[in-house]
Amino acid sequence: MAQSPMHLIKLCVGISTLEELESYRSERAHWWGADYGEDVHVHRTRMMPKRAEEIEGRGSIYWVISGVIRARQRILRLAAATDGEGKGCCDIIMAPDLIRVSPRPKRPFQGWRYLDPKEAPADLGGEGNDADSPLADELARLGLI
């Protein structure tokens, strides 16, 4: 029996919109000097997830922006890395596409957390869905979406 995928959830500290996250990712694509190819995005984090087998190639990272889960990116793989101070860390290598999800409020937390697929917000389908709209923010804050 195959394991079900596991996801990660992460705060976007200092980011207030999806467009800002996209810009940040473009500017920082090879910030740490790691080269995983041209068509990926990399987020460096301190700890390697212990549940890597359930995540790599199957899970996503869900981004919390301004207190609301707004988007996800597919996780292609996790790579052990070393930071500039010689300390071990983990590079989360992701597909470049941001997939908007149904906005859901999320309280602040440190680092990343596991997110069970049953708890993950649904993808928003089609064009014209604005996960950054003030109305979507208010509905999510009220727990209506």
Side-chain angles (χ1 to χ4, degrees), residues 62-109:
Y62 284 76
W63 295 109
V64 179
I65 300 171
S66 298
V68 177
I69 303 171
R70 296 191 184 277
R72 71 178 179 91
Q73 281 181 276
R74 288 181 310 109
I75 298 173
L76 303 174
R77 65 188 179 103
L78 303 168
T82 305
D83 70 14
E85 298 174 359
K87 295 179 183 174
C89 56
C90 173
D91 285 349
I92 302 171
I93 302 153
M94 302 167 287
D97 302 326
L98 273 176
I99 301 164
R100 291 174 184 250
V101 299
S102 181
R104 182 179 302 161
K106 183 68 178 168
R107 293 181 185 257
F109 57 92

Side-chain angles (χ1 to χ4, degrees), residues 1-139:
M1 185 171 144
Q3 288 178 317
S4 61
M6 182 56 65
H7 304 298
L8 298 177
I9 187 167
K10 178 87 174 96
L11 296 179
C12 286
V13 178
I15 302 290
S16 57
T17 66
L18 282 174
E19 291 74 23
E20 194 175 341
L21 175 60
E22 287 174 329
S23 172
Y24 176 83
R25 292 178 322 141
S26 296
E27 292 171 8
R28 305 283 196 249
H30 299 285
W31 199 16
W32 300 286
D35 186 10
Y36 297 106
E38 289 301 315
D39 202 24
V40 297
H41 287 130
V42 180
H43 177 76
R44 182 161 281 179
T45 188
R46 199 170 50 153
M47 302 297 294
M48 172 69 77
K50 291 183 182 359
R51 299 176 74 175
E53 279 186 26
E54 297 170 74
I55 297 167
E56 287 184 304
R58 302 170 58 208
S60 291
I61 189 165
Y62 284 76
W63 295 109
V64 179
I65 300 171
S66 298
V68 177
I69 303 171
R70 296 191 184 277
R72 71 178 179 91
Q73 281 181 276
R74 288 181 310 109
I75 298 173
L76 303 174
R77 65 188 179 103
L78 303 168
T82 305
D83 70 14
E85 298 174 359
K87 295 179 183 174
C89 56
C90 173
D91 285 349
I92 302 171
I93 302 153
M94 302 167 287
D97 302 326
L98 273 176
I99 301 164
R100 291 174 184 250
V101 299
S102 181
R104 182 179 302 161
K106 183 68 178 168
R107 293 181 185 257
F109 57 92
Q110 288 189 332
W112 52 262
R113 299 284 184 265
Y114 292 110
L115 178 64
D116 188 293
K118 296 174 198 151
E119 303 296 320
D123 292 353
L124 290 176
E127 295 295 318
N129 289 311
D130 190 358
D132 273 341
S133 76
L135 178 58
D137 286 347
E138 185 62 16
L139 291 172

